[in-house]
Amino acid sequence: MHLTRRGFTTALAGSIAAPAVIRTAYAQGATVKLGMVVPMTGAAAESGSFAQTGAKIALEQVNKAGGVLGKPLELVFEDDQTTNPGAVLAFSKLASQPDIVAFLGSIRSTQMHAMAPDMLKVGKPVGFGGTDPNLTKLGNPWLFRFRPNDSYSGKVIAQFGAKELGKKKWAIVHSTDAFGTAGGKALAEALPDNGATLALDQGYANQSQDFTPVVLAVRQSGADILGTYFTFETDLGIFARQLRQLGVNIPWVGSPSIVNVSALKLAGPALYNTYGVADYAEDSSPASKAFGTAYRDVRKVAPDNQSSWTFDAVTCLAMAMNKAGSTEPNKVREAMLAIRSHKGAEGEYNFDKNGDGLHGYNIVKNDKGEIKFDKRIDFTPQLG
Amino acid sequence: MDLVLQLLFTGIGIGSVYALVALGFVLIFRATNVVNFAQGEFSMVAAFLMVVFSVKIGLPYWVAFVIALICMAGLGAVFNLAVYYPLRHRTYLPVIISTIGASIFMANTTLAIHGPEPEVLSGWFDTPGFMLGPVYLDNQYVLIIVVTALLVALQYWFFEHTLLGKKLQATSQDKEMASLLGIPVALMIMITFVYSAVIGGIAGILVAPVLFVSIGMGATIALKAFAATIIGGFGDVTGAIIGGLALGVIETFGAAYISVPYKDGFAFLVLIAFLIFRPQGIFGERVAEKA
């Protein structure tokens, strides 16, 4: 075979360009892909499976309605092992796939803090569920929160406990991770505005086997109401049981984990008559009810916020891409920020300039194991 | 004073859990000179077996307990044959790595079979506890303390007053000499693994009503039990018990009077202090002395 100079140059140019062409073609493949960092192993593996179910229900609905830009939407899951290093590794595995156009991060604020620098570098939209208020103040334009942040939960817990229940002397028990610390701080800061005082601010390390010292501290503080921010349901279950066993029966208003399916199963009667702020409450709106029905069809149990935020995140990201007419990150970001009055499972989405979509919470009561919707308290957002 | 007594009871209760798991560490260390890092997973597997037999199948609690322990004995035998026996002539390092691998394998197999959902296992009693003066006594913790004391007594009698116990001791002290005296060393090690798996299983079943049944429960307890074993002195049964109890009491009082978030830190501070100033533990002997 005779190789001419022109032929050689063409072949060389072709071989240099080929990987980029193939990569681009691959990126514009048959499906539009969302990467999802989710716990499949470790302490939060159970809630991770709920999160996957929520995302899959949204995926099915999006695809039934025509998909994204005429293509089916696809989810790519990566296990975060319920650890920060695991989350960082999982995100970097997903980020290395150029055909993934947007991501779902974690419901755990501490993991979001760990992944946030990489998310900034990758420069693609990320929906997440961590509720530490600082996460949307990091100057990272790619983060979009699908749950109300803890500045709202703190305000709602304080307002409900002080105004509705009439209790003014508070004990706050919180995890010492990013979520628990930020939540506890937000609640403590909201107390003076509601004429209440702080009797005890007690942190604990996650995965504790015993809460006796914490319960005794609550008892000795003389508090007449308890506010909590628990990260793991097993911790909450052990604490709830020991609290009741050691005779502490003051009213208790907790962060959303207090109404999680796992917490209800583990703690049982120890959580009866407690109140919780819940970003997801099935009876709070027709959209929440519809999600509840769809979820029960799949899992045969009631949904909770572990699945509702991923449902909303997949729905909103798909909606934004369709509205933008593109998967180009900046266009999707603009479309996300323009979302107004979208009725999701968690509530009505109005994204502010920081990327916070929700601005209020539901109050629910544990009535002998049944979660009953009480009321919704919303705050007016500052939309940019 | 009420507070002190309440904390003391809780500390001894949680310490007894560490001590029970630490017993398993010590037995296997004595027999094979290696640390079995899968000891915590024995507890986790037994607790899940209890859930299957008692909750899912609905067998009476005692029957489920006995069947779960028989399964644990079987698991101990398989563990010996698959994890230790093929590497018995190698140095301690490959065996330790093998036990770590087995630990991960057991945790992930349970995860694959059962799924990640934590489970509730009821205790042996209808009521959760009772007041003794100003102190609330959790029935399950009382049971754990009693069972730990009984097992220690039984173990002492077994090792000191039975022929099999003496054969096991001889094997742990010098395998070659034991073999020359006609003691079937491989069988003795097999019995040790079976017994350790059963002890770990008892610990898991006893603690499950307090800490719930979850994939991670074994690792959480085993870490503290391992620290207790070092504090007490590797290879010493009394040391494991004292170490476990001390650790439980120290972390409970440390949490109550100094800092709750640093509760685990107190336990590991004591561990570091022992490693620096008395690496052989409270009752342990130096390796050189043992040789």
Side-chain angles (χ1 to χ4, degrees):
Chain A
M1 195 179 86
H2 180 69
L3 185 66
T4 64
R5 185 179 293 174
R6 182 180 289 174
F8 175 76
T9 314
T10 309
L12 185 66
S15 59
I16 290 169
V21 172
I22 291 167
R23 204 164 43 232
T24 309
Y26 187 57
Q28 296 167 350
T31 58
V32 173
K33 289 184 181 174
L34 291 184
M36 181 168 170
V37 176
V38 63
M40 297 177 185
T41 55
E46 186 189 28
S47 51
S49 77
F50 299 157
Q52 286 189 58
T53 303
K56 283 176 186 169
I57 292 171
L59 179 83
E60 201 182 312
Q61 292 184 1
V62 167
N63 285 338
K64 211 176 259 181
V68 172
L69 306 173
K71 294 175 188 171
L73 190 66
E74 186 186 341
L75 286 165
V76 182
F77 298 106
E78 200 62 57
D79 181 17
D80 68 20
Q81 301 162 38
T82 324
T83 64
N84 288 1
V88 172
L89 180 67
F91 181 74
S92 76
K93 276 187 188 171
L94 291 171
S96 68
Q97 300 176 44
D99 54 340
I100 292 181
V101 297
F103 304 91
L104 266 69
S106 178
I107 194 171
R108 291 172 208 292
S109 299
T110 178
Q111 293 185 357
M112 281 306 298
H113 276 292
M115 292 185 285
D118 287 346
M119 288 169 169
L120 182 63
K121 275 184 216 157
V122 170
K124 289 178 183 174
V126 180
F128 71 97
T131 50
D132 176 3
N134 296 322
L135 281 165
T136 44
K137 294 173 186 164
L138 297 171
N140 186 335
W142 302 106
L143 302 184
F144 294 92
R145 191 184 334 247
F146 286 86
R147 295 178 63 214
N149 72 51
D150 285 328
S151 68
Y152 294 119
S153 71
K155 282 180 198 168
V156 172
I157 291 174
Q159 188 175 319
F160 181 76
K163 302 258 167 79
E164 302 282 331
L165 301 177
K167 303 294 180 186
K168 305 290 185 188
K169 201 173 174 191
W170 286 69
I172 299 175
V173 175
H174 62 87
S175 158
T176 47
D177 65 12
F179 154 75
T181 306
K185 191 172 163 227
L187 174 54
E189 285 172 356
L191 292 180
D193 294 342
N194 290 282
T197 56
L198 184 63
L200 174 75
D201 183 354
Q202 182 65 72
Y204 71 88
N206 286 337
Q207 317 272 341
S208 289
Q209 293 104 39
D210 176 59
F211 283 90
T212 306
V214 179
V215 172
L216 294 177
V218 172
R219 195 166 75 179
Q220 286 194 313
S221 71
D224 59 8
I225 187 167
L226 173 65
T228 59
Y229 280 85
F230 274 81
T231 303
F232 288 101
E233 290 82 6
T234 43
D235 285 338
L236 179 63
I238 296 169
F239 173 75
R241 282 185 176 187
Q242 293 188 327
L243 190 77
R244 300 314 186 203
Q245 286 171 355
L246 293 173
V248 181
N249 288 304
I250 55 177
W252 178 2
V253 190
S255 68
S257 58
I258 201 169
V259 290
N260 274 1
V261 176
S262 307
L264 298 179
K265 183 175 86 173
L266 296 177
L271 284 179
Y272 286 2
N273 295 320
T274 57
Y275 296 91
V277 289
D279 34 310
Y280 177 75
E282 196 166 353
D283 293 328
S284 62
S285 73
S288 308
K289 217 169 237 177
F291 172 68
T293 308
Y295 188 88
R296 279 169 205 273
D297 285 346
V298 179
R299 299 279 310 217
K300 315 295 174 206
V301 290
D304 61 17
N305 60 8
Q306 302 286 341
S307 54
S308 53
W309 84 265
T310 57
F311 173 83
D312 286 348
V314 171
T315 308
C316 284
L317 283 166
M319 195 167 75
M321 284 185 250
N322 277 331
K323 220 167 238 178
S326 164
T327 56
E328 202 274 308
N330 274 312
K331 288 182 181 165
V332 178
R333 179 176 177 268
E334 291 302 319
M336 285 292 296
L337 291 173
I339 288 177
R340 293 286 176 271
S341 304
H342 167 69
K343 290 175 175 51
E346 292 245 339
E348 191 175 284
Y349 284 87
N350 291 287
F351 279 94
D352 64 19
K353 61 180 181 352
N354 295 325
D356 275 301
L358 295 164
H359 310 277
Y361 265 99
N362 305 297
I363 293 283
V364 293
K365 185 182 181 185
N366 183 327
D367 186 8
K368 293 185 179 164
E370 287 278 311
I371 297 303
K372 299 263 171 77
F373 172 65
D374 190 306
K375 62 164 67 177
R376 183 168 179 92
I377 299 176
D378 268 309
F379 297 89
T380 310
Q382 294 210 326
L383 302 174
Chain B
M1 192 59 194
D2 301 355
L3 180 71
V4 172
L5 289 174
Q6 185 67 61
L7 291 170
L8 187 64
F9 171 74
T10 307
I12 291 173
I14 198 85
S16 296
V17 177
Y18 301 153
L20 262 185
V21 179
L23 267 182
F25 272 121
V26 167
L27 287 171
I28 290 181
F29 183 79
R30 280 168 60 137
T32 63
N33 278 332
V34 292
V35 180
N36 174 23
F37 280 101
Q39 192 64 33
E41 263 57 46
F42 286 153
S43 302
M44 180 271 296
V45 170
F48 270 104
L49 286 173
M50 245 338 248
V51 168
V52 170
F53 295 131
S54 170
V55 182
K56 310 275 183 195
I57 298 177
L59 295 174
Y61 209 87
W62 274 104
V63 177
F65 179 70
V66 172
I67 296 176
L69 291 190
I70 291 170
C71 291
M72 289 313 296
L75 179 63
V78 171
F79 189 93
N80 172 45
L81 292 175
V83 178
Y84 171 72
Y85 197 74
L87 300 169
R88 65 193 183 284
H89 298 307
R90 307 280 290 275
T91 59
Y92 67 92
L93 202 56
V95 186
I96 285 178
I97 292 169
S98 181
T99 66
I100 293 171
S103 153
I104 297 167
F105 178 77
M106 281 197 270
N108 283 291
T109 305
T110 311
L111 181 69
I113 294 171
H114 176 273
E117 300 86 8
E119 294 284 352
V120 180
L121 183 67
S122 57
W124 297 82
F125 309 99
D126 293 334
T127 52
F130 59 96
M131 294 298 292
L132 184 68
V135 181
Y136 176 82
L137 302 183
D138 186 314
N139 280 336
Q140 201 62 30
Y141 273 134
V142 173
L143 182 67
I144 290 168
I145 294 167
V146 170
V147 170
T148 306
L150 281 176
L151 275 174
V152 170
L154 180 76
Q155 204 154 296
Y156 175 79
W157 169 81
F158 176 71
F159 277 110
E160 301 300 329
H161 297 285
T162 67
L163 185 61
L164 182 58
K166 285 181 175 163
K167 281 182 183 175
L168 285 169
Q169 282 208 63
T171 306
S172 76
Q173 283 164 11
D174 190 334
K175 286 185 200 58
E176 276 183 21
M177 180 55 80
S179 186
L180 286 172
L181 293 172
I183 295 171
V185 170
L187 180 65
M188 294 301 112
I189 291 174
M190 167 72 89
I191 291 170
T192 307
F193 270 98
V194 167
Y195 184 54
S196 295
V198 171
I199 292 251
I202 291 173
I205 293 168
L206 285 177
V207 82
V210 183
L211 302 185
F212 305 118
V213 182
S214 65
I215 303 290
M217 68 180 285
T220 314
I221 304 167
L223 192 63
K224 296 282 180 61
F226 181 60
T229 314
I230 292 173
I231 291 169
F234 251 111
D236 191 273
V237 171
T238 319
I241 303 299
I242 302 286
L245 293 176
L247 211 59
V249 172
I250 288 168
E251 67 174 25
T252 305
F253 276 88
Y257 289 106
I258 304 172
S259 164
V260 173
Y262 290 100
K263 189 179 83 168
D264 292 341
F266 303 125
F268 292 113
L269 269 179
V270 176
L271 171 67
I272 291 166
F274 264 90
L275 286 174
I276 294 171
F277 299 110
R278 196 173 164 81
Q280 69 270 38
I282 300 171
F283 294 101
E285 52 191 313
R286 286 182 185 281
V287 175
E289 286 168 10
K290 194 174 178 182

